[in-house]
Amino acid sequence: MTGGTRSDVLIIGGGIMGASAAFFLRQRGKSVTLIERGLIGQQASGTNFGNVRRQGRFLPQLPLANRSRAIWGRLNELLGEDAEFLPSGHLRLAYTEEMAGRIEQYGRDARPYGLELEMLSGNVLRDRFPFLGPEIRAGSYSPLDGHANPRLAAPAFGRAAKRAGAEIVERAEVLTVEQEGGSFRAETADGRVFRAEQMLITAGAWGSRLSQQFGEPVPLVVHGPQMAVTEPVPYGLEPVLGIATTIPEEIIYLRQVKRGNIVFGGGIRGPASAETLRAYVKPENTLGQLSQITRIVPALRRLNVIRVWSGIESYLPDDIPIMGPSARIPGLHYAFGFCGHGFQLGPGVGDVMAELIATGQTSTPIEPFTIARFANSTTNQPGGHP
Amino acid sequence: MAEPRIIIVGAGPAGVRAAEALVAAGVRPVLLDEGQRDGGQIYRRQPEGFSRTPEQLYGTEAGRAIALHRSFERLKPQIDYRPRHLAWNVADGVVHTISEGKPGQFAYDALIIAAGATDRLLPVKGWQHAGVYSLGGAQIALKAQACAIGRKVVFLGTGPLLQLVALQYHKAGAEVVALLDTSPFPRQVMALPKLAARPGMLLKGLRIVGGLMASGMAIHRGVTPVEIHGEAEAGVTGVSVRLASGEIRRFDCDAVGLGYHLRPEAQLADLARCAFTFDARTRQFWPEIDADGRSSVPGIYLAGDGVRTQGADGAEISGALAACAALEDLGRSVPDAPRAALRAKARVMERFREGIAEAYPWPAGLAADLPDEAILCRCEGITVGELREAAKEKGADEVNRAKALTRVGMGRCQGRYCGHAGAEIVAAATGMPLEAVGRLRGQAPVKPLAIAAGEVQP
């Protein structure tokens, strides 16, 4: 054994998944080193919409989302920092009878998973949420969902993990990962070597580059969310709002932060590059969003957009993440490719992965997310998508 | 080749001279301008119906202003002039505009950005009070609206505009209580050899100084700003500075004009993905250009104060040069002799620009020394102390990280007014060099975009 840092668990990638896993692994007494190419929570974890939403998710993901929601509720106490989690409620809206039927069906299907949703329509919906536009026919209200600040959450996990004894190595790009004897070895671009008994790859859009080194490539592609924010106005839009639709151009979601700004996103995804580390908002997408957002809340037409942004999110063909143990190598674990819906899951993913790594099992079902489903995949490079 | 599509953004001295050079070469450019009328900031034209003379409006520069306005009137039939068009974004060879609430798209083969400059601002405790204006804002009030920012005005900061606006206010009949310049007088003397590159302009500057001395207003150089006093309701009530002698003195006033020379409006260049480079002399990042104004992105040219603060005369030259570069890159022949003459003049302008930068330096130490309780980001109401804490305690040793953690630079102005000072504060708090602390990445829209624009079908 020659030189380098050694720990029980080596985490590659410091987004919210990696940072929360580091925190929860420390709670379970494991020594942890987390290596991040840039800064903690800088990519998808820091640039997403900030939804802490369970309704509308792939149903088998709800146990994980519920576990995560419970952690969000005590996040400040756990981390000693405020990530601006606001359990403001989440309202999923429909323009058409067909979509109203679908969200109603979802409400029935979600109940066995412990997610209680309230169906509202007509005057009841309008009396309760008078700001909604005339096109809205129905809504599904999830009272315990809400939103948080993505710019703060992952860095707060990272600092809490560090205070709890994790070694957080920022600005270090891992180029090679491999097995060495019975353990794992990672080497950074600047030649530093890290070793551990177990490894967790939480490298988001760059996850496939690492998994392929262990013979498990996955068909990951990257896109940029198209985000924007208005100038601040007095706080009044309580629930997070989102449209349930099958038309991509119609997708829009928005939330008002306590400070008053309204954050929104949706529509056609934009270009992103895992190579250049850049993602862009297309001007036509911003204009498209402006035409949609006033359909939900017409009063927003009086506001101005002050800033747009994007980030690098990773997607898989079946729109669900990779999470769980490697199908080939004992001691190796993955949690990446969260397909634009990972922020809410972040704390739960960290908790579940820590449990899995520390005990060999987890009480939360995650089988649908196994990397084994891509066992025959040959695609291994994240591609840029226009 | 089909008629090349060349777009100019900005109808100030750089944009108008660029248009003139293009028209001379037989090209009909699109000229997009945010203003109601041509002239830009420096030669801003008064609204229709106002009747002040050019001498009243532009002082010693009246002749040049008239010449530029006349050139523009001659050009107008030969260009596609679009006033009241804000270029809010640029991507994939298309400039996106908003005009009277309507979005528009203009595709280009070459884009000449001559977007001008805004005041380089340095926060001072109390600068959030009503009645504090940038020097540019104070001057627009006078030029366009024929009104002053207050009855008793103090001008604080440094740079040629500080002196010019103070004198313009005095001549317009406003009571200028004091001109408080952070630059010590010897700096101006030391810069004389470079300033002598343009003897005529130096003489004009000396006349302004003479006019100020004769005006009777209090003039103090080498001051350190302490506080702008004020109340939430009444706004500004006074300014305190430490004089060069060490004495703290208060000047009662009801308005303050504030500015530390100018900074390029480089947002469009940033959105067009032009490379930026750090200028150690002025302690800021600005877009990379070659001697003719070519940016790092093929087909994008940068001219005027929007890239280097050379003033109006320099802007006219750089605008013409950028047009020549665009024509040449599109395969048009450009006569050598006139261009060589322009380049020679541009070198003189650049030497003078360096002289001005040395005579009126950005007082970086003042930013680093701001008290914790001072508001840094006026848009978001973030204090200097909050930024320092993020830099020291949360590892935010880079400005975009600091922005993510504190919101500094996230508001309406996107860091135009607090960005440079914020970078100095982060650098001082972390011990990092300013260059490593970096620059705030620009994001669209260049200026706030009305959501109602989405209701209009393009």
Side-chain angles (χ1 to χ4, degrees), chain A residues 167-345:
Chain A
E167 190 184 350
I168 308 285
V169 184
E170 292 181 301
R171 296 183 170 121
E173 184 179 12
V174 170
L175 292 183
T176 56
V177 285
E178 59 195 335
Q179 269 187 300
E180 187 184 68
S183 61
F184 293 90
R185 178 184 187 277
E187 187 169 344
T188 60
D190 57 5
R192 280 180 280 176
V193 173
F194 298 85
R195 291 186 174 82
E197 301 310 311
Q198 300 198 68
M199 180 178 278
L200 170 61
I201 292 177
T202 47
W206 301 267
S208 182
R209 286 185 188 175
L210 301 171
S211 71
Q212 69 167 304
Q213 295 185 38
F214 292 112
E216 295 181 293
V218 295
L220 200 73
V221 297
V222 299
H223 299 292
Q226 308 287 282
M227 302 306 310
V229 64
T230 70
E231 61 203 320
V233 285
Y235 183 69
L237 273 180
E238 214 173 15
V240 181
L241 305 175
I243 282 290
T245 175
T246 53
I247 303 166
E249 288 83 354
E250 273 189 349
I251 298 170
I252 191 98
Y253 35 84
L254 62 114
R255 66 185 179 100
Q256 187 177 24
V257 302
K258 270 284 171 72
R259 144 128 188 108
N261 311 70
I262 292 158
V263 180
F264 63 92
I268 313 287
R269 292 176 189 135
S273 165
E275 279 72 35
T276 64
L277 306 185
R278 283 282 169 270
Y280 299 98
V281 177
K282 290 174 86 87
E284 49 273 36
N285 288 353
T286 301
L287 291 172
Q289 290 172 331
L290 301 188
S291 67
Q292 293 298 331
I293 197 167
T294 48
R295 292 177 71 189
I296 307 191
V297 184
L300 296 183
R301 72 180 304 284
R302 295 198 297 272
L303 301 188
N304 290 293
V305 174
I306 60 171
R307 191 163 42 84
V308 306
W309 72 94
S310 188
I312 303 168
E313 292 183 339
S314 51
Y315 289 81
L316 289 153
D318 51 8
D319 233 18
I320 54 173
I322 286 165
M323 182 181 171
S326 158
R328 301 185 71 224
I329 297 167
L332 175 63
H333 302 81
Y334 300 115
F336 65 87
F338 279 80
C339 308
H341 61 250
F343 183 64
Q344 189 277 346
L345 298 177

Side-chain angles (χ1 to χ4, degrees), chain B residues 111-453:
Chain B
L111 172 63
I112 299 171
I113 302 174
T118 49
D119 293 86
R120 199 176 185 194
L121 292 176
L122 182 68
V124 47
K125 189 180 172 190
W127 75 315
Q128 73 276 11
H129 290 304
V132 179
Y133 292 78
S134 69
L135 294 172
Q139 200 182 32
I140 289 170
L142 202 60
K143 275 189 200 167
Q145 308 298 326
C147 62
I149 59 172
R151 286 194 176 83
K152 294 177 67 175
V153 186
V154 166
F155 290 98
L156 172 64
T158 195
L161 192 58
L162 180 76
Q163 312 195 86
L164 177 63
V165 178
L167 187 60
Q168 286 172 333
Y169 264 65
H170 169 74
K171 284 187 174 169
E175 183 186 346
V176 179
V177 178
L179 187 158
L180 306 172
D181 192 330
T182 55
S183 174
F185 185 64
R187 293 293 298 248
Q188 286 136 53
V189 176
M190 277 153 56
L192 279 174
K194 282 184 175 170
L195 296 175
R198 296 177 63 192
M201 191 47 99
L202 177 58
L203 193 62
K204 283 176 186 170
L206 293 173
R207 285 202 188 116
I208 289 171
V209 173
L212 289 167
M213 311 261 279
S215 73
M217 72 176 75
I219 299 173
H220 298 276
R221 298 185 192 276
V223 307
T224 303
V226 174
E227 183 174 358
I228 295 177
H229 307 278
E231 295 150 15
E233 288 297 309
V236 171
T237 56
V239 176
S240 287
V241 295
R242 192 169 64 242
L243 303 180
S245 63
E247 176 201 346
I248 304 243
R249 192 177 296 177
R250 178 180 166 136
F251 299 88
D252 288 335
C253 62
D254 61 6
V256 179
L258 189 66
Y260 293 81
H261 204 25
L262 300 172
R263 51 170 285 290
E265 278 282 290
Q267 289 83 5
L268 270 182
D270 201 358
L271 293 173
R273 307 183 195 176
C274 296
F276 280 60
T277 181
F278 183 69
D279 179 58
R281 198 191 310 254
T282 58
R283 296 180 73 78
Q284 66 185 322
F285 284 84
W286 55 25
E288 282 176 25
I289 44 167
D290 75 359
D292 291 343
R294 286 182 187 85
S295 76
S296 64
V297 177
I300 295 188
Y301 307 84
L302 308 172
D305 278 3
V307 60
R308 299 288 183 270
T309 313
Q310 292 179 340
D313 298 354
E316 292 190 41
I317 293 160
S318 69
L321 278 172
C324 292
L327 288 166
E328 182 176 62
D329 296 347
L330 288 163
R332 302 285 182 108
S333 69
V334 175
D336 281 336
R339 186 152 65 154
L342 284 170
R343 284 172 177 159
K345 283 188 196 165
R347 285 191 290 274
V348 173
M349 296 295 157
E350 185 59 11
R351 183 167 167 80
F352 186 79
R353 182 195 66 71
E354 289 175 7
I356 291 287
E358 288 169 17
Y360 305 103
W362 165 249
L366 295 182
D369 291 343
L370 281 168
D372 276 346
E373 68 273 18
I375 297 277
L376 170 64
C377 172
R378 294 205 301 188
C379 299
E380 295 294 317
I382 313 296
T383 64
V384 170
E386 287 172 81
L387 179 63
R388 269 194 194 123
E389 196 244 338
K392 283 184 179 160
E393 310 299 329
K394 296 183 178 175
D397 58 3
E398 185 269 337
V399 289
N400 293 288
R401 182 63 160 190
K403 171 180 163 183
L405 297 184
T406 65
R407 314 183 67 92
V408 164
M410 260 190 186
R412 290 180 72 93
C413 88
Q414 288 202 44
R416 278 176 176 83
Y417 303 135
C418 67
H420 287 180
E424 297 284 359
I425 290 163
V426 170
T430 57
M432 300 274 288
L434 188 67
E435 185 172 5
V437 159
R439 70 182 183 90
L440 290 169
R441 279 190 292 274
Q443 299 282 16
V446 167
K447 288 183 183 168
L449 175 68
I451 284 181

Side-chain angles (χ1 to χ4, degrees), chain B residues 54-76:
Chain B
E55 286 69 25
Q56 285 172 308
L57 281 168
Y58 312 114
T60 58
E61 302 310 295
R64 295 203 72 101
I66 293 166
L68 193 82
H69 296 153
R70 284 189 182 146
S71 295
F72 186 77
E73 293 304 327
R74 279 195 302 274
L75 282 174
K76 237 177 174 175

